[in-house]
Amino acid sequence: MQSSDLKNLKIAVVGAGYGGAAAAKALSLLGADVDVYEQASQIREVGAGIGLRPSTMNRFREWGIFDAVAKVTSPSEFFEILTADGAPIMKEPWPADGEQTHTHLVHRGDFIDALLGVLPEGMVHLGHKLESVRDNGDRSVLTFVGGKTVEADLVVGADGIRSVVRHQLFSQAGPVFSGEHAYRAVISVDGAQGMVVDDNLRMYIGRGTKVYLLPLRHRGQVSFDITALCPDSTWSPQVTKDDMLATVAGFDERLVEITRNLDMSTVNVRAVYDIDSVDTWHSDSVVLVGDAAHSMLHHQGQGANSAIEDAGALADALREADSVKEALARYQATRKPVTDKLQAISRQGWSEDEINDVFPGQKPAAAASAE
């Protein structure tokens, strides 16, 4: 689209999470008039650590915000998968993207703060819970609880796994329970029982349980995550310390001790959900990004990265296409095949038997060394 057309484009982003904040930044750099509407009255990101892949960091460099994000991260060289008692299965460097070779490990809260911190003052409007979206073809109207309405040339639905935008316009299918729970806490490096010696992600696999140690050494902490099979689909289940200890029975005793020492009031507990692939992400004036379009299980660590890539691809498409309608079609054609594949791979999870499905030809390290 012509620069003059982009500058006349009024865009409303629904949701101020990773996808919404990144989309707001990328689209505002086009010169468009962007506003972000977030239902929460204050931004408080719970959870723990994530990894920002080299391609994601390249997008931040392109947008001029690399330093703002990098200063709250720890660069990581590789990730490693081990058995429950610490025997190596595989060790891989993070996939590079050009000169960018490091994945950057970051706390979710720090990441959101960094993204929101690079948006212009007044762009984000808190306390706006979306009630309905009406698609009028070339423009759409948002109505929020309390009666406020906003009209925009383009609505970006970045409102997460339980997206109102997706549900009202594109798919009424709800989130899908994975049969797992995730228990997440941030502990001090000193409390990690000597298991964190560098800035690299390690995952320990036992029967039905995965334990992740993700260093956040720039803040002297470690993200400690347990993902365990559980039939309870309650969105925010009630879990005791004994329940958690049962999931790590048979693991390296240091991991058991970390679990035993957790302050349960600091542990984020949730059932793990994703969504089935959504056939259509856009109309002529509404589009989905991030979890609203393709929420996926966390096993491959691709949720936040995919949301950032969505934002970049959407901005690219608007710059390159002749109209908003054409741009949205181009965006979906670019991103949907990628995220469909990632959703499917993420559902495979990580087990010793499934590693070869994700990394074809990869043999467990112990088996390889025996040959």
Side-chain angles (χ1 to χ4, degrees), residues 176-181 208 227-233 271-273 297:
V176 179
F177 178 50
S178 69
E180 294 178 311
H181 282 181
T227 301
L229 294 174
C230 187
D232 179 8
S233 62
V272 181
Y273 283 81
L297 302 183

Side-chain angles (χ1 to χ4, degrees), residues 296 335-348:
M296 58 190 72
R335 290 296 300 151
K336 184 170 162 53
V338 177
T339 59
D340 279 351
K341 183 176 181 179
L342 287 173
Q343 281 184 294
I345 290 175
S346 295
R347 280 186 171 178
Q348 288 179 291

Side-chain angles (χ1 to χ4, degrees), residues 3-160:
S3 177
S4 57
D5 294 330
L6 290 170
K7 288 181 179 178
N8 289 326
L9 200 62
K10 181 173 175 55
I11 300 176
V13 179
V14 182
Y18 310 135
K25 182 61 181 179
L27 298 174
S28 66
L29 289 172
L30 299 177
D33 177 12
V34 181
D35 285 283
V36 182
Y37 299 93
E38 165 60 40
Q39 68 175 349
S41 58
Q42 58 179 318
I43 304 295
R44 289 189 306 173
E45 180 64 29
V46 297
I50 56 175
L52 303 175
R53 303 298 176 91
S55 59
T56 301
M57 297 304 294
N58 279 341
R59 280 293 187 185
F60 297 149
R61 193 183 301 280
E62 174 189 327
W63 300 340
I65 64 172
F66 180 92
D67 290 344
V69 176
K71 73 180 182 181
V72 294
T73 72
S74 295
S76 175
E77 300 282 350
F78 62 83
F79 64 97
E80 189 171 13
I81 303 176
L82 307 99
T83 63
D85 59 1
I89 298 175
M90 65 166 289
K91 179 178 177 179
E92 287 282 316
W94 294 106
D97 186 3
E99 295 181 2
Q100 184 67 41
T101 58
H102 290 101
T103 283
H104 285 245
L105 308 182
V106 62
H107 188 280
R108 293 168 186 265
D110 292 344
F111 183 37
I112 286 290
D113 287 346
L115 285 178
L116 294 177
V118 298
L119 297 182
E121 185 78 23
M123 180 178 284
V124 178
H125 309 276
L126 301 178
H128 284 70
K129 181 177 176 61
L130 184 64
E131 188 171 77
S132 68
V133 52
R134 186 173 75 251
D135 186 343
N136 293 331
D138 59 342
R139 289 174 70 82
S140 290
V141 178
L142 301 173
T143 300
F144 298 95
V145 172
K148 178 176 178 176
T149 62
V150 171
E151 188 172 358
D153 302 304
L154 174 60
V155 168
V156 179
D159 49 341

Side-chain angles (χ1 to χ4, degrees), residues 277-281 331-341:
S277 177
V278 178
D279 291 337
T280 302
W281 291 2
Y331 157 73
Q332 177 173 318
T334 299
R335 290 296 300 151
K336 184 170 162 53
V338 177
T339 59
D340 279 351
K341 183 176 181 179

Side-chain angles (χ1 to χ4, degrees), residues 123-263:
M123 180 178 284
V124 178
H125 309 276
L126 301 178
H128 284 70
K129 181 177 176 61
L130 184 64
E131 188 171 77
S132 68
V133 52
R134 186 173 75 251
D135 186 343
N136 293 331
D138 59 342
R139 289 174 70 82
S140 290
V141 178
L142 301 173
T143 300
F144 298 95
V145 172
K148 178 176 178 176
T149 62
V150 171
E151 188 172 358
D153 302 304
L154 174 60
V155 168
V156 179
D159 49 341
I161 187 172
R162 293 188 281 190
S163 169
V164 173
V165 177
R166 183 186 70 241
H167 186 264
Q168 292 192 3
L169 296 183
F170 302 111
S171 172
Q172 293 191 344
V176 179
F177 178 50
S178 69
E180 294 178 311
H181 282 181
Y183 313 131
R184 293 172 172 161
V186 175
I187 62 174
S188 70
V189 170
D190 291 342
Q193 302 295 314
M195 299 191 76
V196 175
V197 295
D198 54 30
D199 293 308
N200 299 303
L201 171 64
R202 289 177 174 84
M203 177 174 66
Y204 298 79
I205 299 176
R207 186 179 299 275
T209 297
K210 295 168 281 289
V211 179
Y212 304 80
L213 283 173
L214 185 150
L216 300 166
R217 292 210 302 167
H218 58 284
R219 56 189 285 169
Q221 294 179 322
V222 182
S223 179
F224 179 70
D225 300 12
I226 300 171
T227 301
L229 294 174
C230 187
D232 179 8
S233 62
T234 306
W235 196 268
S236 298
Q238 297 296 312
V239 174
T240 68
K241 176 75 69 67
D242 286 342
D243 294 331
M244 291 181 60
L245 285 168
T247 69
V248 295
F251 277 72
D252 185 307
E253 182 54 38
R254 292 171 296 175
L255 296 173
V256 177
E257 189 64 17
I258 292 172
T259 307
R260 186 176 292 116
N261 292 337
L262 289 175
D263 176 354

